[in-house]
Amino acid sequence: MLGAIYATLFAEFEVSGNMGLNSQVYTINKPYQHNENFTAIQRLELKYTHDALTLYSNIYAQEDSYDLSSDEAQHNDRTFMRLDELYLRYDFDNDMLSVGRDIKFWGSLEVRNVVDGFNPRDFRTDLFNGSKMGVYNVTYSHYTETGEMSVILKLANENQPMASLPYSYYFFPSFISYDGKVKTTTEHYRPSLFLKYSGSTDTEYPLDYAFIYENGYDSQRYFNTNTPENLDPKRTTFGNPTKFNQYAYIANKFMTYETLVVGATLIKLEALYAKVDDNAYVGDYSHLGLGVEHTLENFLQGDAGLGLIAEYYRYDTYEDNKYNDLELFETMQDDLFLGLRYSLNNANNTNIISGVIADMEYNEQVYYVKFATRAYGSLVIDANYYLIEPSKNTKTMYHLLGKHQRVGLNVAWYF
């Protein structure tokens, strides 16, 4: 009898994950930054289900080779373990309740999901392929025939630690140190409320849509210091601070994202408007993303498809004498993306995507090519190339980074 109970218990227990090596070589970089990075990564997922109950955990870890060096000046603080998800979920007939720490994905655009701000990014991971950090929340969802209504209570603000200066993507000037502990303009543990409705239409031109309202701490944050000359929001430079902190503030935020299918064409929209509570540094702002992707089927061979992609992003602030896009380190404020996606649609899921992001205001460009395929069923190979041509005259985030070129190869085994 005990054997039967044991077999039943572990028949509902699943283990999955991946482990691999991420490597980048920087052929154009600043002289005091690392010329390469080799980072071991691991992810372990544990899932237990019993009838309508699910217990799930997701643990991420990485180790950078420089952190193993006996020379402490070479350490870049990229070695850590992180609990991304740990939640208990119960599914009713038409409802769902989840309590714990998890990751949510919102949006549909290729380059940047402007509404995908529920989970903060980890500054210790790759600038271009950075991972999200889980957040503690309570989620209740009700399902209808055409959609889903959710009430989400986000319980805490996550700190965002950053790799130290020898790492190529420490984007502050060398005279600035960064304290990863987030500060807040009101109670630190004040919950944030999200109301979300999403659905789809079963029509000639299918439409997927979502509307989200948030009252609470905004996903956009600003950086400031206790250096006196930088406490004035009308300042024109950051001066010479010794330490920067990240600050979170209260806002009412309205967000939406949609995908419309017209034949072989996808039309995408993401938009938000934030009404910021009285804050000396950040005012009301909006962010818009528009995209279209048309697929040419049976391109060159077999079932291969070629996707033609165009996206435009616009970010605006609406209050004078407060932080603008430059001081908020916003890179997609007036940007056009043109790209190609070539998908072989084979058993290896091979695809290549390339494109250019052109900043229409500050005259800077990001060029990239990414290749991904699967081998032997469980081995994923990802190669990428990036070239950044920053603005020459304006202190954008890319200008602070400087002209930059890199080649990357990531290999991971999934189990």
Side-chain angles (χ1 to χ4, degrees):
M1 180 177 179
L2 290 177
I5 295 175
Y6 181 88
T8 301
L9 176 66
F10 282 89
E12 298 172 320
F13 188 73
E14 300 176 22
V15 180
S16 60
N18 63 81
M19 58 180 62
L21 177 66
N22 292 355
S23 57
Q24 292 87 33
V25 176
Y26 310 106
T27 58
I28 300 177
N29 209 15
K30 290 182 178 179
Y32 52 82
Q33 294 174 328
H34 290 152
N35 292 322
E36 68 281 319
N37 278 104
F38 300 98
T39 311
I41 56 98
Q42 305 88 39
R43 185 177 293 279
L44 178 64
E45 299 176 55
L46 305 174
K47 183 179 181 181
Y48 174 76
T49 56
H50 182 71
D51 294 333
L53 184 68
T54 300
L55 177 62
Y56 177 80
S57 68
N58 178 0
I59 303 170
Y60 175 85
Q62 71 175 40
E63 303 84 30
D64 190 282
S65 59
Y66 282 106
D67 290 330
L68 303 177
S69 171
S70 58
D71 182 2
E72 293 189 3
Q74 293 298 314
H75 292 185
N76 55 20
D77 301 321
R78 298 189 65 236
T79 298
F80 61 91
M81 180 180 292
R82 189 180 68 211
L83 177 64
D84 279 340
E85 296 180 275
L86 178 61
Y87 62 81
L88 188 67
R89 169 176 170 156
Y90 193 89
D91 290 284
F92 304 88
D93 289 339
N94 297 310
D95 304 89
M96 183 276 294
L97 178 64
S98 174
V99 180
R101 184 179 180 90
D102 74 346
I103 296 175
K104 303 183 188 298
F105 296 90
W106 295 340
S108 57
L109 289 167
E110 175 66 34
V111 175
R112 171 81 173 274
N113 296 124
V114 300
V115 300
D116 193 24
F118 188 83
N119 299 92
R121 297 280 177 172
D122 195 324
F123 291 151
R124 297 168 295 182
T125 55
D126 188 8
L127 173 67
F128 298 105
N129 300 292
S131 59
K132 294 182 178 183
M133 299 186 293
V135 296
Y136 291 103
N137 68 94
V138 178
T139 300
Y140 168 76
S141 297
H142 174 71
Y143 305 105
T144 67
E145 291 184 359
T146 60
E148 173 186 340
M149 295 179 289
S150 297
V151 179
I152 307 168
L153 199 62
K154 185 175 178 180
L155 302 177
N157 288 291
E158 293 295 319
N159 295 326
Q160 282 186 284
M162 185 183 296
S164 57
L165 181 60
Y167 184 51
S168 291
Y169 300 128
Y170 180 86
F171 56 83
F172 287 119
S174 58
F175 57 84
I176 293 179
S177 63
Y178 172 72
D179 184 348
K181 294 182 180 179
V182 63
K183 295 189 176 183
T184 57
T185 55
T186 183
E187 300 89 348
H188 185 78
Y189 294 102
R190 179 195 187 280
S192 297
L193 174 66
F194 292 79
L195 304 176
K196 180 175 181 283
Y197 179 76
S198 60
S200 59
T201 63
D202 185 13
T203 58
E204 180 181 0
Y205 303 116
L207 173 68
D208 293 329
Y209 56 88
F211 301 95
I212 306 168
Y213 166 74
E214 177 196 359
N215 173 263
Y217 283 111
D218 194 0
S219 59
Q220 176 182 264
R221 297 173 179 177
Y222 66 93
F223 301 94
N224 213 332
T225 178
N226 56 7
T227 304
E229 64 264 30
N230 280 327
L231 296 178
D232 181 6
K234 298 181 181 180
R235 73 189 195 285
T236 57
T237 66
F238 283 118
N240 293 286
T242 58
K243 181 183 294 185
F244 260 29
N245 277 99
Q246 190 181 76
Y247 286 78
Y249 54 88
I250 300 295
N252 286 286
K253 202 168 183 178
F254 304 88
M255 297 170 277
T256 184
Y257 60 94
E258 285 84 26
T259 301
L260 177 67
V261 181
V262 182
T265 303
L266 290 177
I267 302 172
K268 305 175 184 181
L269 165 69
E270 294 187 32
L272 66 84
Y273 179 81
K275 179 67 176 177
V276 179
D277 281 9
D278 189 25
N279 185 280
Y281 302 98
V282 180
D284 300 350
Y285 69 94
S286 65
H287 209 169
L288 172 71
L290 294 170
V292 59
E293 179 173 353
H294 180 74
T295 301
L296 303 175
E297 302 291 351
N298 302 317
F299 186 80
L300 293 183
Q301 62 173 338
D303 295 330
L306 180 67
L308 311 176
I309 310 171
E311 295 179 350
Y312 176 72
Y313 297 83
R314 178 75 190 187
Y315 177 91
D316 289 288
T317 57
Y318 298 105
E319 296 185 50
D320 296 334
N321 300 321
K322 294 188 178 182
Y323 286 1
N324 57 27
D325 58 286
L326 296 174
E327 293 172 306
L328 291 167
F329 295 99
E330 177 55 59
T331 59
M332 305 296 289
Q333 90 296 340
D334 185 14
D335 291 66
L336 177 66
F337 168 70
L338 298 175
L340 299 173
R341 187 202 315 275
Y342 183 57
S343 303
L344 292 181
N345 295 320
N346 56 14
N348 295 331
N349 295 322
T350 303
N351 68 84
I352 304 170
I353 182 167
S354 63
V356 56
I357 306 169
D359 191 305
M360 313 295 285
E361 182 175 1
Y362 302 129
N363 190 27
E364 57 186 11
Q365 301 84 36
V366 177
Y367 304 88
Y368 71 87
V369 180
K370 295 190 291 185
F371 167 84
T373 190
R374 183 182 294 269
Y376 307 108
S378 57
L379 189 67
V380 174
I381 302 170
D382 170 16
N384 56 77
Y385 165 83
Y386 286 88
L387 171 64
I388 299 176
E389 293 283 358
S391 173
K392 293 181 173 58
N393 303 313
T394 307
K395 290 185 177 180
T396 65
M397 190 183 80
Y398 290 142
H399 177 90
L400 296 175
L401 180 64
K403 185 172 181 178
H404 183 74
Q405 183 172 246
R406 86 168 205 200
V407 178
L409 177 63
N410 307 325
V411 180
W413 173 65
Y414 285 74
F415 57 89

